[in-house]
């Protein structure tokens, strides 16, 4: 199953086909490079990228739980042991019981409203999706 085009457009998926054919539990590994100053186009007071991300996190944790998901880890990126070294600020790992739970989260109005803070906070991101080996 792939996300609907309105969800793909809203969230800016580069490769929605990656989600096609997945079933069972999935894990998303998010790498974030934050803006020094959030790009807040809604007229909010000036805040740092980290402050804007924390506004998003305050809602996303609850909404993820509402669809049966959990955060496994949220932390500061400190470096790479091997491979390409890319400058990230945060790494967040989340488990979802199914791809449909991810789509349910994306369709959640509270989550969608909070997502504007993530968009304002993030300069660059990489979101990797993993499925279990069975």
């Amino acid at each position: 199953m792939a996300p609907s085009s309105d969800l793909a457009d809203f969230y800016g998926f580069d490769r929605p086909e990656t989600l096609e054919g997945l079933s069972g539990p999935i894990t998303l590994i998010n790498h974030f490079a934050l803006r020094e100053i959030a790009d807040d186009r809604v007229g909010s007071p000036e805040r740092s990228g980290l402050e804007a991300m924390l506004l998003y996190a305050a809602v996303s944790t609850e909404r993820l739980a509402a669809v049966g998901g959990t955060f496994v880890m949220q932390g500061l990126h400190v470096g790479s042991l091997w491979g390409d070294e890319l400058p990230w600020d945060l790494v967040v790992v989340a488990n979802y019981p199914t791809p449909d739970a991810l789509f349910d989260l994306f369709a959640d109005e509270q989550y969608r409203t909070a997502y504007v803070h993530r968009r304002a906070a993030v300069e660059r991101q990489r979101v990797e999706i993993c499925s279990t080996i069975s």
Side-chain angles (χ1 to χ4, degrees):
M1 175 183 208
S4 65
S5 62
D6 68 317
L7 288 180
D9 290 344
F10 180 81
Y11 291 103
F13 297 138
D14 293 310
R15 293 174 289 284
E17 68 277 2
T18 303
L19 298 165
E20 292 176 8
L22 292 177
S23 62
I26 59 171
T27 299
L28 264 59
I29 304 169
N30 301 268
H31 296 83
F32 299 110
L34 301 177
R35 293 183 170 98
E36 188 172 323
I37 302 297
D39 183 11
D40 221 339
R41 298 169 193 207
V42 293
S44 298
E46 186 174 292
R47 60 182 57 123
S48 72
L50 180 58
E51 289 169 322
M53 187 59 122
L54 291 174
L55 289 173
Y56 161 76
V59 174
S60 66
T61 300
E62 175 187 308
R63 303 321 306 152
L64 177 61
V67 299
T70 58
F71 282 115
V72 177
M73 191 281 295
Q74 301 174 64
L76 300 174
H77 181 265
V78 295
S80 297
L81 290 176
W82 57 80
D84 295 334
E85 176 65 38
L86 296 173
W88 302 110
D89 296 308
L90 298 173
V91 177
V92 177
V93 179
N95 287 336
Y96 297 80
T98 64
D100 285 340
L102 176 63
F103 302 136
D104 290 344
L105 178 67
F106 288 156
D108 182 282
E109 196 57 43
Q110 291 176 15
Y111 180 82
R112 199 172 173 134
T113 299
Y115 196 84
V116 299
H117 299 299
R118 174 173 165 165
R119 200 176 278 139
V122 175
E123 178 72 34
R124 181 174 48 82
Q125 64 185 328
R126 179 183 176 122
V127 180
E128 299 176 37
I129 187 165
C130 306
S131 64
T132 57
I133 297 174
S134 50

